[in-house]
């Protein structure tokens, strides 16, 4: 397995389990608008290594594990790390933008960074299929990616947990843009997928503009 991927997964596991056992640690490093606006910008990074529970952690790390090899095999280790970190930052910035005046808003999870890797991998390998354990037939990866973001819109509207649903979109935007900047030939080689993957991102901003979120 790729060394950078191992480091990322290990860091997520260590920090998340520390947060499971130590609520003070969890509260100190989670994404919290009030604290960030008071100067604790470290939360915009640290929150992406905390998770709500083992299921949340496992889902993010398994998704990363399956899609990361596509990214680093096509783009190399440096670009893989850049897309992961860049998507993480994009996710936090978009969350801050959408919730800037909600001082009590809290969120955690690597979902933004992972969604960036997911989107990058789909752009690079649009023909990929996934085999989900509860569905006995292959599912096109782009269907999974788009469905993941549509579910995130539901999560943003429902507001039933502190998972960083808004960060999913920021991460997707980060992975999408960084990959296209590094591989501009995708606009000609795979324009249909480039447009298709943009649809849920555009939908998010349309719903926000209409006040539906």
């Amino acid at each position: 397995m790729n060394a950078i991927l191992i480091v990322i997964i290990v860091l997520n596991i260590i920090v998340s389990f520390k947060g499971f056992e130590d609520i003070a640690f969890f509260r100190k490093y989670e994404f919290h608008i009030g604290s960030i606006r008071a100067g604790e910008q470290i939360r915009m990074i640290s929150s992406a290594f905390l998770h709500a529970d083992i299921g949340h952690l496992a889902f993010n790390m398994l998704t990363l594990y399956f899609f990361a090899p596509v990214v680093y095999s096509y783009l190399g280790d440096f670009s893989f790390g850049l897309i992961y970190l860049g998507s993480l930052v994009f996710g936090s910035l978009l969350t801050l933008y959408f919730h800037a005046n909600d001082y009590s808003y809290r969120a955690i999870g690597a979902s933004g960074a992972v969604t960036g890797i997911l989107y990058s991998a789909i752009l690079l390998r649009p023909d990929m299929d996934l085999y989900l354990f509860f569905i006995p037939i292959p599912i096109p990866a782009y269907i999974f990616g788009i469905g993941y973001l549509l579910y995130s819109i539901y999560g943003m509207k429902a507001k039933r947990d502190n998972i960083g649903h808004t960060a999913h979109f920021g991460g997707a935007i980060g992975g999408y843009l960084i990959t296209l900047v590094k591989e501009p030939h995708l606009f000609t080689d795979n324009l249909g997928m480039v447009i298709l993957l943009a649809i849920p991102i555009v939908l998010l901003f349309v719903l926000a503009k209409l006040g539906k979120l």
Side-chain angles (χ1 to χ4, degrees):
M1 197 190 322
N2 178 275
I4 296 176
L5 177 59
I6 293 173
V7 170
I8 290 171
I9 291 176
V10 169
L11 279 175
N12 272 279
I13 291 172
I14 291 173
V15 175
S16 292
F17 271 84
K18 172 65 174 175
F20 296 157
E21 299 170 357
D22 186 343
I23 188 62
F25 177 88
F26 186 93
R27 292 302 181 200
K28 181 176 180 180
Y29 292 108
E30 69 180 344
F31 191 101
H32 178 241
I33 293 291
S35 299
I36 291 170
R37 296 198 62 175
E40 297 180 25
Q41 280 78 24
I42 186 63
R43 292 172 178 263
M44 296 181 70
I45 303 297
S46 62
S47 58
F49 294 91
L50 291 167
H51 289 82
D53 50 41
I54 292 177
H56 183 208
L57 172 64
F59 179 80
N60 275 336
M61 293 304 97
L62 282 172
T63 303
L64 178 64
Y65 176 81
F66 286 123
F67 286 98
V70 176
V71 179
Y72 61 68
S73 64
Y74 272 78
L75 302 181
D77 291 356
F78 176 79
S79 293
F80 166 64
L82 176 65
I83 291 171
Y84 187 89
L85 181 59
S87 298
L88 187 161
V89 172
F90 266 84
S92 290
L93 288 174
L94 190 70
T95 304
L96 186 61
Y97 171 77
F98 266 85
H99 302 280
N101 297 316
D102 183 358
Y103 282 74
S104 63
Y105 181 86
R106 303 173 185 271
I108 38 83
S111 304
V114 172
T115 307
I117 295 296
L118 168 67
Y119 251 54
S120 177
I122 295 170
L123 281 170
L124 295 166
R125 278 283 313 278
D127 59 332
M128 280 192 304
D129 287 330
L130 293 179
Y131 289 86
L132 303 180
F133 70 91
F134 51 86
I135 300 177
I137 58 175
I139 297 175
Y142 69 88
I143 296 295
F144 176 79
I146 291 171
Y148 190 42
L149 290 193
L150 293 178
Y151 166 74
S152 297
I153 290 178
Y154 167 78
M156 291 171 66
K157 290 172 65 68
K159 299 179 181 178
R160 292 176 180 172
D161 52 45
N162 68 337
I163 294 171
H165 295 291
T166 310
H168 297 175
F169 283 93
I173 293 168
Y176 183 83
L177 292 179
I178 295 170
T179 303
L180 290 175
V181 167
K182 295 192 70 65
E183 301 289 321
H185 66 86
L186 292 171
F187 282 107
T188 53
D189 294 350
N190 198 19
L191 181 59
M193 189 59 65
V194 170
I195 294 171
L196 185 62
L197 291 178
I199 290 175
I201 298 172
V202 172
L203 177 62
L204 172 75
F205 286 100
V206 170
L207 290 174
K209 184 70 174 179
L210 295 174
K212 300 295 185 179
L213 294 177

